Each structure stands twice: as structure tokens, then as C-alpha cells.
Amino acid sequence: MMAARDGTAAREAEPIIRCRGVAKRFGTQTVLRGFNLDVMPGETMVIMGGSGSGKSTSLRMMIGSIPPTEGVIELFGRNICAMDEDELNGVRKRFGILFQSGALFNSMTVAENVALPLHEHTDLDPEIIDIQVKIKLELVGLREHADKYPAQISGGMKKRAGLARALALDPQILFYDEPSAGLDPVTSAQIDQLIIALSKQLGVTSVVVTHEMDSAFTIADRMAMLDKGRILKVADRSWYEALRDEPTDVAAKRGEDERLIRQFLRGDPDGPITERQSSDAYEEALFGPEPERVLLPTPSLEPTRR
Ligand SMILES: Nc1ncnc2c1ncn2[C@@H]1O[C@H](COP(=O)(O)OP(=O)(O)OP(=O)(O)O)[C@@H](O)[C@H]1O
Ligand SMILES: [Mg+2]
């Protein structure tokens, strides 16, 4: 594969995804303020950020399902924003998407779900498709459940089935939106290992949107922190690890963006994110300015992660 996890050779290659000045507005709401992001072949890029920070919206633009208001998104060196639907469908065959719910068709078995993209996008014989489906189900550990319907399998199995379907056309890029959301810790860890295995064994490039920090640190080669429609930082996982583990007195000397990232990584109850929330003038808009607002301490909110 193309030097994914050591990150060195991959850096010299051309990006497989290039975002430049990508902004998105819905009506008067600016969701993304114009971000730049390069994803290199073979790497796993984790995009993290709080709820509503614009993660899913970024992903939806990268897969060409909604257009950016401004900016350019290139996949495989070609601007997808300038493509018509036919051209876009050609590009879509080269990447897979794992949606939050798995997005399986309930009236089809697991195997039929995985076979669907092959029927839709290839002229392969049914026997060949059968073999392809078996290989993909084996990859995600679902071969024995091929003939079950989505209602008959667990949430984690649905995720894996969705992943097998995303892999059906041997994509070069896999996009994941919250792959471990709603899963128990062990199942979630299994999905993480699967993402790593696909990257190592098949050399796929992965873009993973998540706010699960354990998962992010397990799978990422590089990470991008999104906050209120801005990418605050794109860096190697090791940079984020060092920031997370930095002693509080040292970190206190950092700028606001990095202190904010650190709070997010650690799940600390206090820091720039909470200060900002408390000063967000919602209450003031409702009740008028308060002479002195006291933030109650939240002793029950111990950080659950380092
Ligand atoms: N189609 C849409 N029309 C209008 N507003 C939208 C649309 N899609 C997203 N938004 C808004 O964009 C903002 C970012 O949403 P997005 O789904 O990208 O957040 P997110 O970072 O994925 O959050 P979460 O972690 O909760 O999934 C939200 O305020 C949302 O209401
Ligand atoms: Mg989302």
C-alpha cells in the first residue's frame, strides 16, 4: 500500500482529496467558513468537532451530495463541484460511504444489500457477484449472517454490513460518519480495528468523522479539529496526543484555539468551550443582562478520558 501509517512517503504524493476555501451556508446560517484540507493517499484522516460544528456537512460536500457555497473540492485530482451528475456517478464508484445507521435496505438480506452496488454499477455475472459479496462479508466477519435481514441483526452488525456494502466496488476512499456512534465499547473497538485493517490490508484512504476521542486516537494518522465551521488545526495524531497529555499549567500558556482543542480531546468540564457557552448570550437574550453570573461547579462531571 501507499505508505499509510508511517505517513512519510504519503506526504510527497498528491492529495487524493483537496479542499480549498470550502464554505457552506444554509440560508443565513454559515455552517462552514472556508476550510482547506488535504487528505493523502492511504492515510486515515479523522475530522472531529462538537455537535453542530459542521462535520457531516463537510463529509456530504466531499462525497458530492451537496455543493459548497464557495470553494473547490477535488477528488482524485478533479473538481467534483464542476461535474455533472454522470461524471459524479463515475467518481462515486471509486469511493464508499458508511452512514451513521448503516443505511441498509430493510427488505433485502445482508448479502443482497452488499450485492446492490455491484448490480447497479457493474456488468458482472451473478456468480462473480456472489463471490465478491462473500469476500466482502468475510472481510467484515459477517459471512454467516449473509441471509439475514437488517431487522434480524444487531446495530454493530448493521454497521459492518454497511461497511461491506461500502467496500463492494473496491473503493479507493472510504468515508465514515460516526462509525462507532451508538455501539457498545467493545463493538466500537472492533469497528475501529476493522477500519485500521482495511487501511492496512487494502490501502484505502479513509476520512472519518467522529466525536469519539478513543476511536479517533486509535485509528487516525492525522486529525483535523473543526469548531464552529473553522478547521482549527490539521496535524499528526502524535501532535494531538502531546496536546492532550500536556500538564495543565503548561497548556494554560497556549492560545485559545489550542486550549479549546485540548479541552475537547480530554473531555474536560472547564475550558474555552464551556466559557464560550456560558457567555453565549442566550440567557441574556431571554432575560436581559445579568449583573453577575456565577457558573456552578459541576463536581459530578469528572472527565472520563485522559
Ligand atoms: N440541509 C440543511 N439545511 C439547513 N441547515 C443544515 C442542513 N444540514 C446541516 N445544517 C446545519 O448545519 C450545522 C452543522 O450540521 P452538521 O450536521 O454538519 O453537524 P455535525 O458536526 O455533523 O454535528 P453532529 O456531531 O451532531 O452530527 C447545524 O447547525 C445544522 O443545523
Ligand atoms: Mg454529524
Side-chain angles (χ1 to χ4, degrees):
M1 67 177 284
M2 292 184 252
R5 301 196 71 82
D6 68 7
T8 46
R11 294 300 151 75
E12 287 147 28
E14 282 292 303
I16 196 164
I17 304 171
R18 186 201 299 268
C19 303
R20 286 291 175 275
V22 175
K24 185 68 185 176
R25 287 186 287 277
F26 292 107
T28 55
Q29 186 193 3
T30 299
V31 172
L32 291 154
R33 293 162 194 274
F35 68 86
N36 298 333
L37 184 69
D38 285 345
V39 181
M40 306 309 286
E43 78 171 336
T44 297
M45 170 68 76
V46 170
I47 301 174
M48 53 194 176
S51 196
S53 58
K55 303 182 297 297
S56 296
T57 304
S58 314
L59 208 64
R60 291 217 296 277
M61 291 192 289
M62 287 183 213
I63 62 176
S65 82
I66 54 170
T69 313
E70 280 166 37
V72 171
I73 298 173
E74 290 175 10
L75 295 190
F76 312 106
R78 296 174 59 213
N79 181 5
I80 60 165
C81 311
M83 288 181 182
D84 61 29
E85 205 52 29
D86 271 357
E87 286 174 293
L88 208 47
N89 277 331
V91 176
R92 284 195 179 114
K93 288 181 204 166
R94 301 173 68 187
F95 62 76
I97 310 156
L98 181 63
F99 293 105
Q100 197 156 333
S101 60
L104 302 171
F105 291 102
N106 288 323
S107 60
M108 296 181 184
T109 65
V110 166
E112 287 164 353
N113 265 284
V114 178
L116 191 65
L118 293 160
H119 287 298
E120 279 184 344
H121 293 294
T122 71
D123 302 321
L124 295 172
D125 292 335
E127 303 84 67
I128 306 285
I129 289 183
D130 266 4
I131 295 169
Q132 286 290 329
V133 168
K134 288 201 175 97
I135 292 171
K136 297 305 177 323
L137 287 177
E138 177 70 30
L139 258 176
V140 301
L142 278 185
R143 199 167 40 85
E144 285 153 32
H145 305 280
D147 298 324
K148 291 188 177 155
Y149 287 89
Q152 299 170 313
I153 59 177
S154 72
M157 288 156 80
K158 281 188 194 128
K159 282 263 158 85
R160 283 188 275 155
L163 192 48
R165 192 179 58 188
L167 288 167
L169 296 170
D170 295 318
Q172 286 164 275
I173 310 175
L174 276 172
F175 293 95
Y176 302 83
D177 196 351
E178 304 284 0
S180 47
L183 300 180
D184 71 67
V186 174
T187 310
S188 158
Q190 285 172 339
I191 297 280
D192 289 345
Q193 291 309 314
L194 201 50
I195 294 173
I196 293 172
L198 293 172
S199 156
K200 275 189 178 156
Q201 290 169 16
L202 308 179
V204 283
T205 306
S206 305
V207 179
V208 185
V209 158
T210 187
H211 47 53
E212 303 275 334
M213 284 305 102
D214 291 344
S215 169
F217 279 109
T218 306
I219 60 181
D221 292 309
R222 290 198 299 151
M223 302 162 91
M225 174 77 193
L226 199 55
D227 176 63
K228 292 197 151 186
R230 285 193 305 142
I231 289 188
L232 299 184
K233 181 85 181 176
V234 184
D236 286 338
R237 182 184 60 204
S238 57
W239 184 90
Y240 279 96
E241 278 168 346
L243 179 63
R244 177 193 63 189
D245 299 338
E246 197 167 74
T248 302
D249 55 332
V250 179
K253 299 189 187 87
R254 288 186 180 258
E256 165 131 0
D257 281 358
E258 291 181 358
R259 283 187 292 117
L260 186 153
I261 296 171
R262 183 173 176 275
Q263 182 187 3
F264 188 84
L265 299 175
R266 296 164 59 92
D268 286 342
D270 300 313
I273 299 171
T274 18
E275 283 158 25
R276 183 175 70 192
Q277 283 165 354
S278 68
S279 67
D280 274 356
Y282 179 58
E283 285 181 33
E284 285 188 15
L286 287 179
F287 305 118
E290 274 181 58
E292 192 180 23
R293 187 181 307 132
V294 183
L295 246 188
L296 292 172
T298 48
S300 61
L301 278 179
E302 286 298 320
T304 53
R305 300 188 179 117
R306 277 182 305 143

